[in-house]
Amino acid sequence: MGSVLVTGATGGIGTALVSALAEAGHQREEEAANGIRVTTVYPAATATALLGEVRSAFGRPYDPEACIRPQTLAAMIVWALSAPPDAYACELSVLPSPR
């Protein structure tokens, strides 16, 4: 059984992202007959240098402690890809734990 992973962003969603997410939905339907599971991942802010740069460029605060750690996001994706053959997560929203 195969898996496909599609990621989306939680910030401003542009036309390209909307098209990619629609395509993920179509692929999910088409590939199900072939045993391929498609999971769309919606990560919240992830503590990376790039996010810090982007927030700084827009004059927005950046607190890495309020974000998802990259290794945590990776573990959540591995969890989704490791689903047993009888079920899977078609969508996965990953949010930081409340503090």
Side-chain angles (χ1 to χ4, degrees), residues 45 48 51-67:
T48 63
L51 180 60
E53 292 172 20
V54 169
R55 293 240 174 124
S56 177
F58 285 94
R60 295 184 58 202
Y62 172 61
D63 177 9
E65 294 299 316
C67 299

Side-chain angles (χ1 to χ4, degrees), residues 52-98:
E53 292 172 20
V54 169
R55 293 240 174 124
S56 177
F58 285 94
R60 295 184 58 202
Y62 172 61
D63 177 9
E65 294 299 316
C67 299
I68 302 166
R69 294 180 305 147
Q71 58 269 37
T72 300
L73 179 57
M76 296 294 292
I77 292 170
V78 168
W79 170 82
L81 294 174
S82 301
D86 64 323
Y88 77 105
C90 68
E91 295 184 334
L92 177 63
S93 293
V94 183
L95 305 173
S97 294

Side-chain angles (χ1 to χ4, degrees), residues 19-70:
S19 295
L21 294 175
E23 180 62 26
H26 295 303
Q27 283 192 345
R28 182 177 295 113
E29 294 172 12
E30 290 177 11
E31 297 300 337
N34 298 318
I36 296 174
R37 306 177 297 183
V38 177
T39 298
T40 306
V41 179
Y42 300 97
T46 305
T48 63
L50 178 60
L51 180 60
E53 292 172 20
V54 169
R55 293 240 174 124
S56 177
F58 285 94
R60 295 184 58 202
Y62 172 61
D63 177 9
E65 294 299 316
C67 299
I68 302 166
R69 294 180 305 147

